[in-house]
Amino acid sequence: MEKWLKVKGYEERYEISDMGRIRRLSDGGLMRPAINQNGYQHVVLSKNGKTKDFRVHRLVATHFIENKAGKRDVNHKNGIKTDNRAANLEWLTHSENELHKIYTLGTPSKLLGACRPVKCLNTGVVYRSISEAKRELNLPKSTHIQEVCAGKLKQTKGLKWSYA
């Protein structure tokens, strides 16, 4: 059975369910969330002539999922950004959320950039990672190998690079 709670701060106007639905108390009508540029559903709630935009998954998590550890990110366990059921959501740290993307969903992440093999095009030598290349060549940490590999720069410290 779907459980409904009054939306905190908007108790006289809206309710949210553990299934990720939001309804107006004035007429009982369900709101139709829009989808933002990142693929998340959001709704605009209003009171006293002021409006505020909310991501639906964060509203559901705030109302139905305990967050004892004070974690900041709300994760969709199945990776579907529009599946806002409380049973599909969990609170995570940003690092935990990134690791979930990589190891559970198989989604590429910025975190993997440091683990990808790179090739110095000047010498033809392949290194296991950007960190290893900097260490082996005694390059400063500020060397922008990742930006060269991504095509944002032509070279760094006189060297050209690509992902191997």
Side-chain angles (χ1 to χ4, degrees):
M1 180 115 177
E2 191 169 9
K3 182 177 178 182
W4 291 87
L5 296 174
K6 294 187 185 262
V7 175
K8 296 171 188 169
Y10 296 82
E11 291 85 357
E12 304 303 317
R13 300 189 58 102
Y14 304 98
E15 287 183 320
I16 188 162
S17 83
D18 60 347
M19 298 302 288
R21 302 190 313 155
I22 300 165
R23 67 181 172 198
R24 295 179 300 277
L25 292 174
S26 60
D27 62 3
L30 292 175
M31 298 186 72
R32 290 182 184 222
I35 302 206
N36 69 15
Q37 67 274 13
N38 296 321
Y40 294 100
Q41 290 183 331
H42 66 102
V43 293
V44 176
L45 303 183
S46 64
K47 72 174 181 181
N48 302 329
K50 295 180 182 176
T51 61
K52 188 170 178 185
D53 190 61
F54 292 91
R55 287 186 178 184
V56 174
H57 68 287
R58 292 197 67 83
L59 278 175
V60 173
T62 301
H63 287 80
F64 293 98
I65 302 171
E66 197 170 355
N67 187 10
K68 287 181 184 176
K71 297 182 178 184
R72 294 180 339 155
D73 285 13
V74 177
N75 179 50
H76 290 83
K77 295 176 187 176
N78 65 6
I80 301 171
K81 295 177 181 180
T82 55
D83 184 354
N84 296 310
R85 296 171 297 118
N88 184 47
L89 302 175
E90 61 186 342
W91 289 101
L92 295 178
T93 64
H94 184 67
S95 295
E96 290 169 337
N97 202 0
E98 288 296 311
L99 291 171
H100 178 266
K101 287 180 198 174
I102 296 166
Y103 294 110
T104 305
L105 303 177
T107 306
S109 169
K110 291 181 220 174
L111 294 178
L112 289 179
C115 300
R116 291 176 67 182
V118 292
K119 180 178 184 179
C120 178
L121 300 178
N122 300 61
T123 64
V125 176
V126 175
Y127 300 90
R128 288 185 309 177
S129 67
I130 290 172
S131 297
E132 180 182 272
K134 288 179 183 181
R135 200 170 37 253
E136 295 278 326
L137 296 172
N138 200 26
L139 295 170
K141 289 184 180 182
S142 62
T143 306
H144 301 285
I145 296 173
Q146 184 173 353
E147 289 81 354
V148 175
C149 291
K152 294 178 183 175
L153 296 173
K154 290 186 179 186
Q155 62 182 5
T156 183
K157 306 293 183 201
L159 300 170
K160 294 182 181 184
W161 297 89
S162 70
Y163 287 117

